[in-house]
Amino acid sequence: MATFARPENALKRAEELINVGQKQEALEALHSFITSRRYRAWTRTHEKIMFKYVELCVDMRRGRHAKDGLIQYRGICQQVNITSLEEVIKHFMQLATEKAELARNQAQALEEALDVDDLEADKRPEDLLLSFVSGEKGKDRSDRELVTPWFKFLWETYRSVLEILRNNSRLEALYAMTAHRAFQFCKQYKRTTEFRRLCEIIRNHLANLNKYRDQRDRPDLTAPESLQLYLDTRFEQLKVATELELWQEAFRSIEDIHGLMCMVKKTPKSSLMVVYYSKLSEIFWMSSNHLYHAYAWLKLFSLQKSFNKNLNHKDLQMIASSAVLAALSVTPYDRSYGASHLELGNEKGRSLKVADLIAFDVESKPENREVLSRSSLLLDLVAKGVMNCVTQEVKDLYHILEHEFLPLHLALQVQPLLTKVSKTGGKLASASSVPEVQLSQYVPSLEKLAALRLLQRVSQVYQTMTIENLSKIIPFFDFPMVEKISVDAVKNNFLAMKVDYRKGAIFFGNKSLESEGLQDHLSTLAESLSKSRVMIYPPGKRSPKLGETLSELVEVVEKEHKRLLARKSIIEKRKEEQERQLLEMEREEEAKRLKIQKITEEAEQKRLATEFEQMKHQRIRREIEERELEEAQALLQEAEKRSKKKGKKPVLEGEKITKQTLMDLALSEQLREKQEMEKKLQKLAKTMDYLERAKREEAAPLIEAAFQKRLEDEKDHHEREQQREIEVSRQRHAGDLEEKRRLGRILDNKNIFQERVLNRRSAEHDRLRQEREQMITNIIQARKEEREAKRKMIYFLRTEEERQRRLREEEEARKLEEMERRKKEEAERKAKLDEIAEKQRQRERELEEKERQRREEILGRSAAVPPRTDISATHPVEAPPTAAAPAPAPAAGKYVPRFKRGAAEGGQAPPPATDRWSSASRMDDPTPQQGDRWRDDRRPAGPGGARTWQSSREQERRR
């Protein structure tokens, strides 16, 4: 990474590289400067460097470098000069926009240049072949080569800027401006996919802003300026979404606006609410939700009438007419849904959600939600005075369709009114947010409503009517369309009618009979036939067989039904297994393809990185060599100039000159010049010391004379000032005495007034003191009563706590006593067990002692038979007298191995085998030692008394 002494050097270096065509190296140099920690203090040069940096990024379309540099620059100037970051970002977006516009103009110019009659005269054969093979036109290729890369870069620019500014409270205006420019970009070039992504990005920014509220520079949504900027951004998003006809995204924008207002608990201005409801009415109309559309128009009418002071009577009449026609366009029956609780719950939740959006209730309380229905909407239209503002045609149409009973002439009266309504509409002058109202869009829905009302009126008068007569009295539609409308009405329990094509007639009936009779028609027929059969053929002996047959038939049906269900489940499982296998195969193939692609990309990246590093090293080495050569030439020229000035011969004339030689000569020359300069300075300092000492010696008498003169002048001045002050004091004292004599005349009046004021204040003070004492007495009494009540309450609570504590202690004592009793029983049981075990061990020890005594007697009798010499031969040989003192003997009856016993007795190896059978050592001590007791008892000498430890154990087992 390149290092620079000053920021100006980095800018100068970048300009030099740009002048020689090395933009990549210049960009890398500026990037290393911006990301370095050595240059974190902001200066005006940093701003110039950032301008040059973003220009390079735009020229080379390096969006990631630009984003990284702007993030680093934000950290540099965040606390010092945030407007600098704003200027840099504006310049960055301006450059990207200009490049995109230039590419678009070039593509248009290229398209116009290629728009000729003779293609062969203007195109090469290769271009013609490419166009026929690829199927692309010239405009598509030019857009893909010229326009698309710059549009991608511009889109990436907007995204990067929004990401940088998303949590900066000082740049909220720039964030809003960037969002607006991004919306206009999507609108101008019809970029629907990018618009959806942009809306999602802004939505995520707001969610993160609300989630991480403890950030330092986080925007405050409760501030009016910040809230207004965020609202303007959301409303611009809503407008662009409706203009691009992205109705789903527009509805999500409506939800964003409502959620933002619910977050800050504040309702927007009336001008914004007019835009809100106008766009909401468009969304509901495009989604065929006529009820919600009508409610939005009603809200829009109320807002325009209340807050728009420039609204004239004609525009208000058009808005009211649109609201009434939208309400009439709603179907006069509610849609019926299935019996599924999930479906009903989803519909209810959707209705409540839409009701919140229409009512714009930021509190969202359930009791404040109004029920959305056609009947309540019509009542609101009448109650809010909408019917008084509509045109006469709309008013007549409303009365005919909703109140008048005209079975045969309803369509004839409605048709001319619909013709007049379809011609009404146009632009509104005073309603800025509702630029145009066209009432003709409601004509199809009103014709459908007229047909439904006519069928409803006819069904109340007639029971039967021919298809031909019905077609005559409904001139709006042909009979198939009327049939479709009637089927939907019958399905939702609005009408009850049947069509018989064989007779060419229509049968009307009431809804209750239709719903009940047709529902149970087959069961009623079966019961009637069963009764008739019983009357003709009385039940006899064959009835049981019939019952058996029916029961067998039910079993067969059940078995067949189960078999079909099992077959269906098997088929579904096979389908699922096949689909799963196909998905696994596709997933494996995709994984293999991605793996191969990843390996190829990694290899390519490694190759490119290696080549880039090699080129970079070569370039650095070449630059170092060139710089060394330039430095050597500069040193040579400087040495020649110095030698010419001093009249010396050229440096190393006629010899081979190198950089090291020149540097050595320059250093020696600099050292010599430095020494000469030091000598000159020393000489000059000595001269200056002499001059300064001479000056001070000459100036000393003059300074002393000036000082004495100054003392005399100050003494005279002090005396004059003191005399003047005495005169002024005398004059002031005489004036004060005259003022005292003048004011002495009103002294009595002053005393009288003072006494009167003091008496009044004393009476007031006594009154206030008595009131205060009374108030204090009342407060003391109240506090005494309060303390008494509190003391009683505390006594009651303490008594209750004492009772509860006593109960707990009794319970704990009972549990502790129970535990002690159990421990005592357990200890007694354990003691009994220990006593039994001890008795058992005592008996075992007695038995072992008896067995041991018996064995000793037996061994003693067997040992008495052989001569004494043989017995002594079996004992071990004692240690020699010169050995160390023996260790204490082991306990009686405990076996100790030979090698351990020997080591314990002498600390040395046992004596050789020949000495063990020697009788000389045995004659000194004929009695066996305690350590040899086991060997004496278990291995007696003599032919008749030989017995091993193994034989004694076997004998014991036999006994």
Side-chain angles (χ1 to χ4, degrees):
M1 182 177 67
T3 57
F4 304 96
R6 294 186 302 169
E8 292 82 0
N9 298 343
L11 183 60
K12 184 178 179 181
R13 177 62 178 169
E15 290 177 350
E16 292 175 354
L17 291 173
I18 292 171
N19 292 333
V20 297
Q22 297 180 358
K23 292 185 178 181
Q24 177 65 31
E25 288 75 8
L27 181 64
E28 292 294 336
L30 292 180
H31 185 267
S32 63
F33 172 79
I34 294 168
T35 56
S36 176
R37 295 184 177 273
R38 296 179 57 187
Y39 314 103
R40 306 303 290 180
W42 184 87
T43 60
R44 185 60 62 180
T45 310
H46 281 76
E47 185 174 348
K48 297 179 182 179
I49 290 173
M50 283 304 301
F51 277 120
K52 183 63 68 176
Y53 180 77
V54 296
E55 289 175 3
L56 288 173
C57 290
V58 172
D59 289 339
M60 303 174 67
R61 290 203 297 265
R62 298 297 177 86
R64 294 185 181 275
H65 281 72
K67 182 179 179 180
D68 189 16
L70 288 173
I71 290 174
Q72 296 293 333
Y73 189 64
R74 180 185 63 182
I76 293 173
C77 65
Q78 175 73 30
Q79 306 297 332
V80 182
N81 190 2
I82 197 64
T83 56
S84 176
L85 177 62
E86 183 177 359
E87 294 298 328
V88 171
I89 289 177
K90 287 181 179 178
H91 184 64
F92 178 42
M93 290 192 295
Q94 183 66 27
L95 290 176
T97 306
E98 290 176 356
K99 288 289 184 180
E101 290 292 336
L102 181 61
R104 185 167 175 266
N105 296 333
Q106 290 178 358
Q108 289 180 354
L110 183 62
E111 181 185 358
E112 293 174 359
L114 293 177
D115 191 10
V116 294
D117 296 334
D118 190 3
L119 292 175
E120 296 182 357
D122 196 42
K123 286 189 176 182
R124 297 178 299 173
E126 295 84 6
D127 297 335
L128 289 174
L129 182 61
L130 180 62
S131 65
F132 282 112
V133 171
S134 62
E136 287 184 323
K137 296 182 179 180
K139 182 178 183 302
D140 297 335
R141 285 197 299 275
S142 62
D143 289 347
R144 180 167 51 83
E145 295 174 359
L146 297 176
V147 182
T148 303
W150 283 110
F151 275 14
K152 286 183 178 179
F153 179 76
L154 182 57
W155 167 245
E156 186 178 355
T157 299
Y158 287 138
R159 288 192 58 176
S160 301
V161 172
L162 289 174
E163 186 68 24
I164 292 169
L165 303 176
R166 63 188 178 92
N167 285 335
N168 201 323
S169 59
R170 302 183 183 180
L171 297 176
E172 290 176 342
L174 183 59
Y175 178 85
M177 185 196 74
T178 306
H180 284 233
R181 293 181 66 173
F183 288 142
Q184 293 302 320
F185 165 77
C186 298
K187 174 186 172 182
Q188 183 179 359
Y189 302 111
K190 307 296 182 184
R191 307 305 303 176
T192 56
T193 304
E194 284 77 10
F195 179 76
R196 292 191 185 95
R197 291 175 182 169
L198 179 62
C199 295
E200 191 64 29
I201 288 169
I202 294 177
R203 196 173 293 118
N204 291 335
H205 287 176
L206 181 60
N208 292 332
L209 186 66
N210 189 34
K211 183 178 180 182
Y212 304 105
R213 297 183 177 180
D214 54 347
Q215 293 182 353
R216 184 177 60 181
D217 297 325
R218 171 187 170 273
D220 187 10
L221 293 179
T222 58
E225 297 81 4
S226 302
L227 181 61
Q228 188 62 35
L229 288 173
Y230 275 88
L231 271 180
D232 293 341
T233 303
R234 264 61 183 182
F235 276 101
E236 183 68 21
Q237 174 183 336
L238 176 60
K239 292 177 183 177
V240 175
T242 53
E243 291 175 2
L244 292 176
E245 296 183 355
L246 299 174
W247 304 110
Q248 185 176 4
E249 197 61 43
F251 186 74
R252 295 187 69 185
S253 302
I254 290 286
E255 291 180 336
D256 292 343
I257 295 172
H258 185 264
L260 181 62
M261 292 299 99
C262 291
M263 189 185 303
V264 298
K265 304 295 183 183
K266 189 176 181 181
T267 305
K269 298 179 181 178
S270 58
S271 58
L272 296 178
M273 292 304 298
V274 170
V275 178
Y276 176 86
Y277 283 116
S278 63
K279 299 302 180 183
L280 193 62
S281 63
E282 292 182 23
I283 295 170
F284 286 142
W285 180 257
M286 295 304 298
S287 60
S288 300
N289 290 322
H290 294 171
L291 178 61
Y292 303 148
H293 171 76
Y295 266 103
W297 265 110
L298 178 59
K299 290 285 186 180
L300 189 60
F301 170 80
S302 301
L303 284 172
Q304 290 284 3
K305 185 178 179 182
S306 302
F307 299 103
N308 196 348
K309 304 302 180 182
N310 300 325
L311 191 68
N312 54 32
H313 179 69
K314 183 179 178 181
D315 294 343
L316 183 63
Q317 197 175 40
M318 292 295 295
I319 296 174
S321 301
S322 181
V324 173
L325 293 179
L328 291 176
S329 299
V330 183
T331 54
Y333 51 82
D334 296 330
R335 295 285 178 182
S336 61
Y337 298 93
S340 174
H341 293 288
L342 180 61
E343 186 177 358
L344 293 174
N346 291 338
E347 180 61 26
K348 183 178 179 182
R350 187 161 49 248
S351 300
L352 293 176
K353 184 177 180 181
V354 173
D356 287 340
L357 292 178
I358 293 175
F360 209 91
D361 185 10
V362 296
E363 297 295 336
S364 65
K365 295 180 179 179
E367 59 270 11
N368 295 336
R369 294 174 180 170
E370 52 182 290
V371 180
L372 304 183
S373 63
R374 188 176 186 272
S375 58
S376 62
L377 176 61
L378 294 176
L379 292 175
D380 289 342
L381 289 175
V382 177
K384 294 182 179 180
V386 183
M387 297 303 300
N388 300 328
C389 301
V390 299
T391 60
Q392 189 62 36
E393 295 85 5
V394 176
K395 190 177 296 184
D396 295 340
L397 191 63
Y398 171 78
H399 285 290
I400 291 172
L401 292 176
E402 295 298 327
H403 299 292
E404 295 187 7
F405 188 80
L406 300 171
L408 300 178
H409 305 290
L410 186 142
L412 299 177
Q413 294 186 8
V414 168
Q415 192 170 11
L417 295 175
L418 291 179
T419 304
K420 293 181 181 180
V421 168
S422 62
K423 297 178 181 179
T424 306
K427 296 183 178 180
L428 302 182
S430 55
S432 59
S433 300
V434 188
E436 188 177 1
V437 173
Q438 293 294 338
L439 301 182
S440 57
Q441 62 180 350
Y442 301 110
V443 172
S445 301
L446 294 173
E447 290 176 350
K448 181 180 177 181
L449 177 64
L452 287 171
R453 290 299 185 193
L454 192 144
L455 289 173
Q456 186 184 25
R457 304 289 191 265
V458 169
S459 65
Q460 295 175 3
V461 177
Y462 297 96
Q463 291 183 351
T464 306
M465 179 178 284
T466 60
I467 296 175
E468 183 179 358
N469 292 334
L470 185 63
S471 299
K472 289 180 181 179
I473 63 176
I474 303 179
F476 310 124
F477 310 106
D478 51 0
F479 186 73
M481 189 62 188
V482 174
E483 185 181 10
K484 184 178 179 181
I485 295 172
S486 61
V487 166
D488 188 63
V490 170
K491 179 182 177 182
N492 292 282
N493 297 326
F494 183 72
L495 292 175
M497 58 179 290
K498 293 184 294 184
V499 180
D500 192 345
Y501 282 98
R502 187 175 61 180
K503 296 180 180 180
I506 299 173
F507 300 95
F508 298 100
N510 56 19
K511 290 182 285 185
S512 61
L513 292 176
E514 187 74 9
S515 60
E516 295 176 2
L518 289 181
Q519 184 178 1
D520 302 330
H521 181 69
L522 292 177
S523 60
T524 305
L525 178 61
E527 291 177 0
S528 301
L529 291 176
S530 178
K531 291 179 181 179
S532 301
R533 185 181 179 283
V534 169
M535 291 174 65
I536 297 172
Y537 301 104
K541 297 181 180 180
R542 299 182 62 182
S543 59
K545 295 182 179 179
L546 180 61
E548 294 175 0
T549 306
L550 290 175
S551 62
E552 293 176 358
L553 181 61
V554 170
E555 294 178 358
V556 171
V557 170
E558 289 290 336
K559 290 180 181 179
E560 187 67 19
H561 180 64
K562 291 180 180 179
R563 187 182 65 80
L564 291 175
L565 290 177
R567 184 172 179 272
K568 182 180 178 181
S569 64
I570 292 171
I571 292 172
E572 290 179 352
K573 288 181 180 178
R574 289 178 180 175
K575 288 182 179 179
E576 292 176 357
E577 183 66 23
Q578 188 176 4
E579 291 176 357
R580 187 182 62 78
Q581 292 178 359
L582 290 174
L583 289 174
E584 288 182 356
M585 292 175 62
E586 292 177 357
R587 196 180 296 111
E588 291 177 357
E589 292 177 357
E590 183 69 18
K592 290 180 181 178
R593 186 182 65 79
L594 291 175
K595 186 177 181 181
I596 294 172
Q597 183 179 359
K598 185 178 180 181
I599 293 172
T600 307
E601 291 177 354
E602 289 178 355
E604 184 67 18
Q605 290 178 358
K606 288 180 180 178
R607 185 182 65 79
L608 293 175
T610 305
E611 293 179 357
F612 178 75
E613 290 293 332
Q614 292 177 358
M615 294 175 63
K616 186 176 180 180
H617 290 321
Q618 292 176 2
R619 177 178 56 78
I620 293 171
R621 193 180 301 109
R622 186 170 58 253
E623 290 178 356
I624 292 172
E625 292 175 356
E626 293 176 356
R627 193 181 300 111
E628 289 179 354
L629 182 59
E630 291 176 358
E631 292 176 357
Q633 292 177 355
L635 289 173
L636 179 60
Q637 293 175 1
E638 185 178 355
E640 290 178 353
K641 290 179 181 179
R642 191 182 301 109
S643 62
K644 288 179 180 179
K645 288 181 180 179
K646 296 182 178 180
K648 297 180 180 180
K649 63 178 182 179
V651 181
L652 298 177
E653 184 176 359
E655 298 181 3
K656 185 178 180 181
I657 300 173
T658 61
K659 178 188 175 183
Q660 186 64 31
T661 305
L662 292 173
M663 290 182 66
D664 294 339
L665 289 172
L667 289 174
S668 62
E669 186 68 21
Q670 289 177 1
L671 182 61
R672 186 179 61 79
E673 291 178 355
K674 185 177 180 181
Q675 292 175 355
E676 292 178 356
M677 184 60 68
E678 288 178 355
K679 290 179 181 179
K680 291 180 179 179
L681 289 174
Q682 290 177 0
K683 187 176 180 181
L684 181 62
K686 193 173 182 181
T687 305
M688 293 297 293
D689 288 342
Y690 289 153
L691 290 174
E692 185 66 23
R693 185 168 60 254
K695 286 179 183 179
R696 292 187 180 183
E697 288 177 355
E698 292 293 331
L702 299 176
I703 293 172
E704 182 65 24
F707 177 71
Q708 294 298 330
K709 185 179 179 181
R710 178 71 179 270
L711 287 177
E712 293 176 359
D713 294 341
E714 287 182 353
K715 184 177 181 180
D716 296 338
H717 178 72
H718 174 69
E719 292 175 353
R720 287 195 303 270
E721 288 293 328
Q722 190 174 8
Q723 189 67 27
R724 187 176 63 83
E725 184 67 25
I726 291 170
E727 292 295 332
V728 170
S729 298
R730 287 175 180 175
Q731 294 176 4
R732 190 182 300 116
H733 179 68
D736 291 342
L737 291 176
E738 183 65 28
E739 184 71 16
K740 181 180 179 182
R741 285 193 299 269
R742 189 179 66 83
L743 295 177
R745 294 177 296 173
I746 62 173
L747 181 61
D748 297 334
N749 296 330
K750 176 253 182 186
N751 294 331
I752 293 170
F753 177 75
Q754 181 178 358
E755 184 178 0
R756 188 187 306 161
V757 171
L758 289 176
N759 292 334
R760 187 176 66 251
R761 289 184 179 178
S762 177
E764 183 69 20
H765 173 70
D766 293 340
R767 185 181 61 81
L768 292 176
R769 183 174 56 78
Q770 291 176 1
E771 292 179 357
R772 185 171 179 275
E773 290 177 356
Q774 183 65 27
M775 182 180 66
I776 291 172
T777 304
N778 295 335
I779 292 172
I780 292 172
Q781 185 66 25
R783 289 182 179 177
K784 186 182 295 183
E785 294 175 356
E786 183 180 354
R787 285 197 301 271
E788 187 66 24
K790 188 175 180 181
R791 191 178 296 112
K792 290 181 180 180
M793 180 59 69
I794 292 172
Y795 175 73
F796 174 75
L797 293 175
R798 286 180 179 175
T799 307
E800 185 66 20
E801 289 178 358
E802 184 67 23
R803 189 179 64 83
Q804 296 290 340
R805 186 181 60 78
R806 191 165 54 252
L807 291 175
R808 287 195 300 271
E809 289 179 354
E810 291 177 358
E811 182 67 21
E812 291 176 358
R814 187 184 60 80
K815 291 182 179 179
L816 185 62
E817 184 179 357
E818 182 68 20
M819 191 180 298
E820 292 292 336
R821 185 181 59 81
R822 290 180 180 177
K823 286 183 179 180
K824 186 175 181 181
E825 292 177 356
E826 184 67 22
E828 291 177 357
R829 186 176 63 82
K830 188 174 181 181
K832 289 181 181 180
L833 292 176
D834 292 342
E835 184 178 357
I836 294 171
E838 184 63 29
K839 290 181 180 180
Q840 183 68 24
R841 284 193 297 271
Q842 184 67 25
R843 285 197 298 270
E844 290 178 357
R845 283 196 296 269
E846 291 177 357
L847 291 175
E848 289 179 357
E849 185 65 24
K850 290 179 181 180
E851 183 65 23
R852 187 179 62 79
Q853 293 177 1
R854 185 182 61 80
R855 287 176 184 170
E856 288 179 355
E857 292 177 358
I858 294 172
L859 291 174
R861 287 195 302 269
S862 59
V865 176
R868 188 173 181 83
T869 57
D870 295 334
I871 294 175
S872 63
T874 60
H875 291 288
V877 181
E878 292 294 332
T882 60
K894 184 176 181 181
Y895 170 71
V896 180
R898 173 183 287 271
F899 67 93
K900 287 187 177 181
R901 186 170 63 253
E905 292 173 356
Q908 297 177 354
T914 55
D915 294 339
R916 187 177 58 181
W917 303 105
S918 163
S919 59
S921 62
R922 188 63 187 167
M923 293 298 292
D924 296 335
D925 189 10
T927 58
Q929 295 181 0
Q930 189 177 0
D932 300 330
R933 182 177 180 180
W934 174 82
R935 187 166 59 247
D936 296 339
D937 293 341
R938 290 163 177 77
R939 298 182 62 183
R947 180 182 295 181
T948 63
W949 173 257
Q950 184 70 21
S951 61
S952 62
R953 296 293 293 176
E954 290 178 357
Q955 186 176 3
E956 289 178 4
R957 282 199 299 270
R958 292 193 198 100
R959 293 177 182 177

